[in-house]
Amino acid sequence: MTGRLAGEVAVVTGAASGIGAAIARRFAAEGARVVALDLNAPAEGDLGLVCDLGRDEDVQHAQQAIAGAGLHPTIAVHAAAIGAGAPTLDTGSDFLARMMNVNVGGALRLAKAFAPAMQAARHGNFLFVSSINSTFATPGLAAYAASKAALDSLTRTLALELAPDNVRVNAIRPASIETPLLLGGFAARPDPAEARRLTTARHPLGRLGTPDDVAALALFLCSGEASWITGVDYLIDGGAAVTRC
């Protein structure tokens, strides 16, 4: 198999749909063997596993199944996330805890599961899917934004800790990406078409992002072409951040 990820083994979470599925497909097309993890059975990948990234036991069982299949991950992408929102004062502590547990704890569990072997081999990298909301305030998304800000912080600290062993850690911060989650949010509004129009208008390039847009950046960051990049969170936002400076 040839391609920019030939010889690599990539674990991709949230791989049943949206950004995770697009990354899994793109990585496979570029020669990687892909292990797809999700709460729902993934259709992508050489090996698909049902896994709750918020549970230690689930990640440990996935790690064992991956090893049992003779696969040794050199790339781990955390795209799984809880994305629901609520006004800050209506946010329950249990909801916040679950949000942090999956969005941030899931990344930590991946690192604990797969970083030691990458360190021993002096080869590997992690990529965490964060959000533009980690630094820009949006009403109703306090818990989500807090979890993504924590994920950005984890990215930087882990990058420093793993750099001596040549293991890289980066994050991607998308704006509005046309995923089932975003489309469902539009559908729940009184005027879905107007909700879509207003959201699109926040992006100077005049369109919503696509999962494939994010997958293209993920491919670069997880390939040898980015071998001197670590500890960075990359905006992919159609110019939205420029309007919010």
Side-chain angles (χ1 to χ4, degrees), residues 122-178:
R122 294 189 57 78
H123 174 73
N125 66 87
F126 291 86
L127 181 66
F128 303 141
V129 179
S130 180
S131 168
I132 189 174
N133 291 296
S134 67
T135 55
F136 293 105
T138 301
L141 291 180
Y144 177 75
S147 74
K148 293 302 188 177
L151 184 59
D152 291 350
S153 181
L154 175 66
T155 297
R156 292 188 291 270
T157 303
L158 189 61
L160 282 178
E161 293 176 347
L162 299 185
D165 295 312
N166 197 42
V167 177
R168 301 185 295 109
V169 187
N170 292 294
I172 291 176
R173 293 172 55 214
S176 298
I177 306 298
E178 199 163 359

Side-chain angles (χ1 to χ4, degrees), residues 102-122:
V102 172
N103 295 3
V104 188
L108 178 60
R109 291 180 181 92
L110 284 183
K112 291 169 70 70
F114 302 115
M118 294 182 192
Q119 291 175 283
R122 294 189 57 78

Side-chain angles (χ1 to χ4, degrees), residues 57-136:
E57 314 88 86
D58 276 32
V59 176
Q60 290 164 3
H61 291 158
Q63 180 185 15
Q64 293 164 3
I66 293 165
L71 298 173
H72 306 287
T74 56
I75 297 169
V77 179
H78 184 42
I82 296 174
T88 304
L89 299 184
D90 293 336
T91 299
S93 57
D94 289 348
F95 176 81
L96 175 62
R98 176 64 177 165
M99 183 86 71
M100 297 293 291
N101 189 34
V102 172
N103 295 3
V104 188
L108 178 60
R109 291 180 181 92
L110 284 183
K112 291 169 70 70
F114 302 115
M118 294 182 192
Q119 291 175 283
R122 294 189 57 78
H123 174 73
N125 66 87
F126 291 86
L127 181 66
F128 303 141
V129 179
S130 180
S131 168
I132 189 174
N133 291 296
S134 67
T135 55
F136 293 105

Side-chain angles (χ1 to χ4, degrees), residues 52 144 198:
D52 182 347
Y144 177 75
L198 290 172

